[in-house]
Amino acid sequence: MTQNVRVATSSRPPRVRASELVGRGWLNTGGRDVALADLRGKVVVLDFWTFCCVNCLHVLDELRELEERHRDELVIVGVHSPKFAHEADPDALASAVERYEVHHPVLDDPDLVTWGAYTARAWPTLVVIDPEGYVVAQMAGEGHASAIEAIVAELVAEHDAKGTLHRGDGPYVPPEPEPSTLRFPAKAVALPGGTLLVADAGHHSLAELAADGETLLRRIGSGERGLADGGPGAARFAEPNGVCLVLDDLRDRVGYDVLVADTANHTLRGVHLASGAVSTVAGTGDQFMVGGQENVPRSGHLADDAAVPGARMVPDRRGPAEPFDPALEYPARTVRLSSPSDVAWSPELGAFVVAMAGHHALWAFDPLARDGHGSVRLLAGTMNEGLEDGPGDAAWFAQPSGLAPAAGPAARGGVWLADAETSALRLVEPTEHGVELRTAVGQGLFDFGHRDGAADQALLQHPLGVAALPDGSVVVADTYNGALRRFVPAGPDGASMTPVGDATSGSRLAGEVTTLATGLAEPSGVVVQVDGDAVHLLVVESAAHRLTRVALPADVAGQVLDGGAHRVARPATDVAPGPLRLDVPFVPAPGQKLDDRWGPSTELRVSATPPELLTGGAGDGTDLARDLVINPEVAEGVLHVTAKAASCDEVPLGPDGRPDPDVFPACHFAQQDWGVPVRVVPGADPTLTLPLRG
């Protein structure tokens, strides 16, 4: 069947003048406002982002090298258009710009004015503007670095020849850093000797603190962003988050004492506490791209002996990679991971559960498999973003970010999960055939707030951490509400706790939610400390760069608060009832072409909330254009659209006029998930265009 793919005959759309940059203020400019006229003569890339979005953070990493290589000709402007209420706080934004090492100007766009002017419909969205102030490309999602590189190179050459290119410094002014012992700590764990090991994400290292939670005893990691194994002064991390102690009977067998989710490196790292040595135990250092062609090398070799810490898989570039098979188990250091954010040991599974925030899934890491070299496999999740319970292979997640084994006599081997983008608390329970997912708190991608009471009505706001109390209840680091919340599973009579797997209301977990503490600065992790009958919580206050002890009330009950409910405030798109043409243009970058060597080069998936919004056109296909049918009886809803496209470099021709057989082209993969709020209005436009790259 012929694919219906929108590919332009020219790489340039009609010239459209770029809209002015309008917002509340600017960061990283030394206090100056920036107008488009100030950027004339530069190639400009607008990066529409929001700091809760892991895909946006991936794009920041994708752009770092490009930004450095072309700093004289290119200006990247971050346009921060928030999703959550907390992200509209200017102080929170300033903190995030520092946390994620954003080295370019950032426009604060809390009312989505500039977002609307450029018709952005997804985080992240990228817009390229030429030195004369015209829009030349727009794209959504991840995987566009090579395309932007090619477009920038083409524009630099063109405008250098025309005399319209201006080289030199741009408007970026770096802020003055403030020294501190911790910098944006993510999570912490108590060590057997009474000290604390903190994932010090902003310092790209681990910090061991004394029992007081303040005194620095040593640092593991050089403090420089990067991926390097070795001793405590040579090893490098990139925004480490989750930390988990290895069980006593496993430590000698695996050779390390602590497992670390090294988030921005897309790896798991093992740390030997006595020596401070760090080794990479899972992941290649490259990011897993959903549907990508290089997630699993088909053939290759380890650069060094497999037993040597830091050995990396080098794929054979002369052949294709295998498609990732969710039913298979793979050697741990040969498969790409995607922003692992936390890890927790599950005795029932005999493996570490890994919260894979980057592609909305849970993985399992077995450190003893394959003669002690370890294996990884998909544990739960379809890699679609959303909130769906049920068997692991059908469940949907949205940036799973915090894990904690269930505690108490009713635990039954479950693992609690903070699912950040759906503002949800969920439970992962082992079953005979895998795992089962059940939600206690959370409504979906677009609903959040601070509301206590019955769990099915309670609301959180982007929680990143979770911990189990000895009585079986759960503490949630409710990050964007600056609070600690407590969930108590209810028994059949609504009064007493029972095995959490039985505490259900329909498919959900029943129980009550209260607030234990407020006024915290982006709490992202919790350590439970038990001293006799007293229970204290050690809270990782990420935005305050510290650990804070919170004593639980004597009855551990907490307050019942209602700070209101919120929905993500994005303008709805009016669509006509009946036939709706969905078009997702994709233009390969200069020097690239669609890559269909191993099958269809594109994929499109469409669904809706509520499902009744669509009476036709839902489902999966390979064409990037589709005819949908909108139900006239449904007034509003959300269209969920996932698009993927593979392209590859064009291979030079040999002397015989055929592609050079000794050159294997690099492949590139772009992907994006849109959740488009729509309003059904008679007479509205019967087309919806979502550029993947156009």
Side-chain angles (χ1 to χ4, degrees):
M1 185 176 71
T2 302
Q3 286 180 262
N4 187 359
V5 181
R6 276 284 308 277
V7 180
T9 56
S10 168
S11 62
R12 299 291 181 80
R15 286 163 66 86
V16 176
R17 178 68 70 179
S19 298
E20 192 52 81
L21 305 176
V22 179
R24 179 167 54 188
W26 287 84
L27 295 89
N28 284 353
T29 62
R32 296 190 303 111
D33 289 346
V34 177
L36 275 177
D38 302 327
L39 304 177
R40 198 63 55 83
K42 300 282 192 183
V43 180
V44 178
V45 174
L46 304 182
D47 176 17
F48 289 87
W49 70 300
T50 185
F51 65 77
C52 72
C53 167
V54 69
N55 311 95
C56 299
L57 304 185
H58 292 165
V59 168
L60 284 176
D61 286 337
E62 289 177 2
L63 295 177
R64 290 185 199 281
E65 291 184 12
L66 174 71
E67 185 172 32
E68 191 57 38
R69 276 196 302 273
H70 295 282
R71 192 166 286 281
D72 283 346
E73 308 98 359
L74 170 69
V75 173
I76 296 177
V77 175
V79 182
H80 188 267
S81 306
K83 171 183 176 179
F84 288 100
H86 175 70
E87 293 174 297
D89 182 329
D91 293 334
L93 173 57
S95 180
V97 167
E98 180 186 355
R99 177 195 303 256
Y100 297 117
E101 299 178 2
V102 180
H103 294 161
H104 50 251
V106 174
L107 172 66
D108 183 6
D109 181 30
D111 298 319
L112 279 65
V113 175
T114 299
W115 164 283
Y118 284 87
T119 63
R121 289 194 175 96
W123 296 281
T125 290
L126 298 162
V127 177
V128 183
I129 302 171
D130 73 14
E132 295 179 291
Y134 290 93
V135 174
V136 296
Q138 181 165 332
M139 52 202 77
E142 304 178 51
H144 299 291
S146 65
I148 294 177
E149 174 76 64
I151 293 169
V152 169
E154 190 177 71
L155 289 173
V156 167
E158 175 186 337
H159 288 273
D160 198 17
K162 290 174 62 176
T164 50
L165 183 72
H166 169 68
R167 287 187 168 89
D169 292 338
Y172 172 63
V173 178
E176 288 292 330
E178 296 182 8
S180 58
T181 301
L182 301 176
R183 204 73 189 154
F184 302 108
K187 291 179 171 60
V189 66
L191 298 180
T195 60
L196 299 157
L197 190 66
V198 183
D200 195 4
H203 284 142
H204 306 298
S205 63
L206 306 177
E208 185 174 358
L209 305 183
D212 61 9
E214 298 179 3
T215 305
L216 179 66
L217 301 178
R218 64 168 170 166
R219 192 171 290 281
I220 299 174
S222 69
E224 296 292 325
R225 175 191 286 268
L227 177 56
D229 290 345
R236 290 189 176 191
F237 296 87
E239 300 174 24
N241 272 258
V243 285
C244 180
L245 275 177
V246 179
L247 295 181
D248 290 343
D249 60 353
L250 280 180
R251 291 176 190 171
D252 291 340
R253 301 170 69 186
V254 300
Y256 48 89
D257 307 287
V258 176
L259 185 65
V260 179
D262 194 8
T263 305
N265 274 329
H266 312 294
T267 58
L268 302 181
R269 317 289 294 280
V271 179
H272 186 261
L273 290 175
S275 65
V278 179
S279 59
T280 301
V281 299
T284 68
D286 295 312
Q287 181 192 342
F288 185 110
M289 298 291 285
V290 180
Q293 297 174 345
E294 293 189 331
N295 293 320
V296 185
R298 171 166 292 174
S299 58
H301 61 278
L302 286 171
D304 299 295
D305 185 271
V308 177
R312 301 269 305 275
M313 171 60 76
V314 179
D316 183 351
R317 300 293 298 175
R318 297 181 62 82
E322 297 178 2
F324 177 78
D325 187 337
L328 296 183
E329 179 185 87
Y330 293 96
R333 290 166 56 202
T334 67
V335 180
R336 297 181 177 190
L337 309 181
S338 185
S339 296
S341 60
D342 205 1
V343 285
W345 174 254
S346 170
E348 288 72 20
L349 296 172
F352 289 94
V353 179
V354 183
M356 208 70 74
H359 57 228
H360 318 299
L362 301 180
W363 283 44
F365 166 58
D366 181 350
L368 298 178
R370 298 183 178 266
D371 297 324
H373 297 309
S375 69
V376 291
R377 63 183 175 89
L378 181 67
L379 178 65
T382 63
M383 302 189 193
N384 293 321
E385 186 177 18
L387 184 67
E388 294 286 345
D389 287 340
D393 59 3
W396 289 29
F397 302 89
Q399 287 180 218
S401 297
L403 297 167
R412 300 203 312 195
V415 176
W416 291 105
L417 166 67
D419 205 20
E421 279 293 285
T422 52
S423 299
L425 172 65
R426 307 175 74 183
L427 180 69
V428 186
E429 285 195 295
T431 67
E432 182 180 352
H433 302 292
V435 295
E436 182 91 8
L437 269 293
R438 292 179 178 175
T439 296
V441 181
Q443 305 299 324
L445 284 167
F446 303 100
D447 295 275
F448 62 93
H450 189 152
R451 175 169 289 167
D452 291 324
D456 61 351
Q457 299 299 312
L459 295 170
L460 308 169
Q461 185 180 182
H462 198 78
L464 294 179
V466 64
L469 292 173
D471 65 357
S473 62
V474 188
V475 174
V476 180
D478 192 5
T479 308
Y480 285 3
N481 279 326
L484 292 185
R485 313 286 291 284
R486 179 177 180 240
F487 168 70
V488 181
D493 59 359
S496 60
M497 292 174 60
T498 61
V500 288
D502 296 331
T504 60
S505 175
S507 63
R508 297 178 63 100
L509 290 168
E512 293 289 321
V513 177
T514 57
T515 297
L516 298 175
T518 58
L520 300 168
E522 294 190 10
S524 59
V526 181
V527 178
V528 177
Q529 297 179 314
V530 181
D531 183 10
D533 294 332
V535 177
H536 293 262
L537 303 178
L538 189 66
V539 183
V540 181
E541 277 195 277
S542 189
H545 318 297
R546 68 190 179 199
L547 306 185
T548 301
R549 278 191 170 81
V550 174
L552 289 178
D555 59 2
V556 201
Q559 299 174 281
V560 176
L561 302 178
D562 189 346
H566 302 275
R567 284 186 62 82
V568 175
R570 280 187 292 164
T573 298
D574 290 348
V575 297
L580 176 69
R581 180 67 171 177
L582 173 64
D583 194 10
V584 183
F586 178 80
V587 180
Q592 297 177 14
K593 62 180 182 179
L594 288 172
D595 186 1
D596 56 4
R597 291 169 295 167
W598 326 121
S601 58
T602 57
E603 180 182 337
L604 183 66
R605 173 175 294 172
V606 180
S607 62
T609 302
E612 297 77 22
L613 175 65
L614 283 178
T615 60
D620 300 349
T622 58
D623 294 346
L624 291 185
R626 188 177 299 178
D627 292 316
L628 310 180
V629 181
I630 301 296
N631 187 347
E633 302 301 321
V634 178
E636 60 182 17
V638 177
L639 285 176
H640 304 284
V641 179
T642 298
K644 305 170 186 176
S647 58
C648 64
D649 295 342
E650 294 180 332
V651 178
L653 301 180
D656 59 357
R658 297 181 178 182
D660 189 335
D662 294 324
V663 177
F664 189 80
C667 63
H668 312 281
F669 194 77
Q671 64 178 28
Q672 175 58 23
D673 294 318
W674 288 269
V676 183
V678 297
R679 191 169 47 208
V680 180
V681 178
D685 193 341
T687 63
L688 175 62
T689 302
L690 302 175
L692 180 59
R693 185 188 298 162

